[in-house]
Amino acid sequence: MSAPSRRRMLALLAACAAAPIPARAQARPLQVGVVPNVNARLILTNYQPFRDQLQRALNRPVEIATATDFRAFYERMIVGAYDLSIAPANLTRLAELDHGLAPFAIYEPGIPGCLVMWKDRRVGDVAELRGKTLALSNPQSLVALKGVAWLEARGLVRDRDYRTIHARNDESLAQLLSTGEAPLAMMSRGELMAVHPDLRARLEELVEFARVPGFVLSTARALPDADVRDLRAAVLALPQSEDGREFLRRAGVQVVRPLAPAEMTALDDTVAATRGFMTAR
């Protein structure tokens, strides 16, 4: 081999030796979908330690995602955009029955539903809602469904005795109270606590009308069995880790526990109304 050829060969071998060895392809990020019951900023803040712990436990990247509203979230949930969905119990039950999602765990304690008023416009009794407007931020939520049924049991039927107005977010809900456009707002206590503190200080609960089941966690139908097993184990082990405990503190969750099948069938009386909300155009 001539000297120039040898020099070219040595240069090629040196270049190959210096080139970085391609890293093993990382696993696809696990998609965790969280229902948009509060604003996206708060969801991402609360779920950051949840994500960090899952990444360590599963040794793969995890991404937290949400949507613009309940219906957009549900549509992504049922097509498998989320490997793990965290949603109200009624929404999860509908997805289980109609699209094969597999619920396995639930947050505790349950979610308090309350009627809230503006302190400077106090309401003495729910009967004062008659002929007026009730503000809602998430009319598809289990809190709203149970709240409307609670009012009906007290002789107040929606669209007959009172109207409803849908607020874009918790801040808008408070504004409707402040202007007197709506004397009462129906919301979960978590939604109430998500209102800016300065605004929340001017709100007051009239009554807690129900305590509904906490959010339910479910896995997508297409997720491989091994991934389902590992993911479920990691979620149920959250309270055993420092990041997991920090998530529970931020989210106001005391326990993440396995779900009993009977807890889902108990929600069947909400399925028709929930399906109506999700399919209405």
Side-chain angles (χ1 to χ4, degrees), residues 208-275:
E208 178 185 316
F209 57 79
R211 190 166 287 248
V212 305
F215 285 174
V216 174
L217 296 87
S218 58
T219 49
R221 182 174 55 187
L223 199 64
D225 290 345
D227 289 348
V228 169
R229 183 185 62 247
D230 293 345
L231 177 56
R232 292 183 176 188
V235 166
L236 292 170
L238 277 169
Q240 300 170 21
S241 67
E242 185 175 342
D243 271 334
R245 290 189 292 272
E246 174 60 16
F247 160 70
L248 300 183
R249 186 193 67 78
R250 292 187 189 185
V253 175
Q254 294 178 6
V255 176
V256 183
R257 65 165 176 81
L259 182 72
E263 293 179 272
M264 296 307 290
T265 57
L267 294 159
D268 285 352
D269 62 344
T270 70
V271 166
T274 306
R275 185 181 288 117

Side-chain angles (χ1 to χ4, degrees), residues 13-250:
L13 291 173
C16 291
I21 298 172
R24 181 183 173 185
Q26 261 195 332
R28 175 185 65 82
L30 186 87
Q31 297 295 313
V32 177
V34 183
V35 71
N37 64 312
V38 294
N39 66 69
R41 176 190 55 78
L42 187 57
I43 288 172
L44 295 176
T45 298
N46 287 349
Y47 275 84
Q48 178 260 323
F50 181 107
R51 183 202 64 191
D52 291 349
Q53 178 55 31
L54 243 60
Q55 287 187 153
R56 278 192 294 273
L58 301 174
N59 194 30
R60 67 184 290 185
V62 173
E63 295 177 352
I64 304 297
T66 188
T68 53
D69 55 39
F70 273 48
R71 183 182 292 175
F73 176 85
Y74 181 75
E75 289 173 351
R76 290 182 58 77
M77 180 180 176
I78 62 176
V79 298
Y82 308 128
D83 301 302
L84 172 66
S85 296
I86 302 170
N90 62 314
L91 217 60
T92 304
R93 178 57 171 165
L94 179 62
E96 177 187 20
L97 290 173
D98 290 1
H99 299 282
L101 269 74
F104 69 95
I106 188 169
Y107 291 161
E108 285 192 347
I111 301 169
C114 49
L115 289 170
V116 177
M117 57 190 168
W118 192 253
K119 282 184 178 178
D120 293 338
R121 298 177 182 272
R122 280 189 170 87
V123 174
D125 187 86
V126 292
E128 294 181 37
L129 185 60
R130 193 177 302 275
K132 298 179 182 175
T133 300
L134 174 69
L136 297 165
S137 61
N138 294 311
Q140 313 95 325
S141 70
L142 187 54
V143 163
L145 292 178
K146 294 296 185 182
V148 168
W150 183 86
L151 287 172
E152 187 168 337
R154 284 151 184 80
L156 292 165
V157 178
R158 181 169 55 183
D159 297 328
R160 186 193 75 185
D161 301 305
Y162 66 94
R163 301 174 299 278
T164 57
I165 185 170
H166 179 202
R168 291 180 293 104
N169 52 49
D170 304 322
E171 306 291 331
S172 300
L173 208 61
Q175 293 295 339
L176 290 171
L177 295 176
S178 71
T179 62
E181 187 172 351
L184 291 170
M186 184 178 287
M187 58 203 311
S188 71
R189 190 161 294 132
E191 291 167 344
L192 175 60
M193 297 308 295
V195 174
H196 190 278
D198 292 343
L199 198 53
R200 189 171 70 241
R202 306 194 67 181
L203 302 176
E204 182 177 332
E205 284 188 36
L206 172 65
V207 63
E208 178 185 316
F209 57 79
R211 190 166 287 248
V212 305
F215 285 174
V216 174
L217 296 87
S218 58
T219 49
R221 182 174 55 187
L223 199 64
D225 290 345
D227 289 348
V228 169
R229 183 185 62 247
D230 293 345
L231 177 56
R232 292 183 176 188
V235 166
L236 292 170
L238 277 169
Q240 300 170 21
S241 67
E242 185 175 342
D243 271 334
R245 290 189 292 272
E246 174 60 16
F247 160 70
L248 300 183
R249 186 193 67 78
R250 292 187 189 185

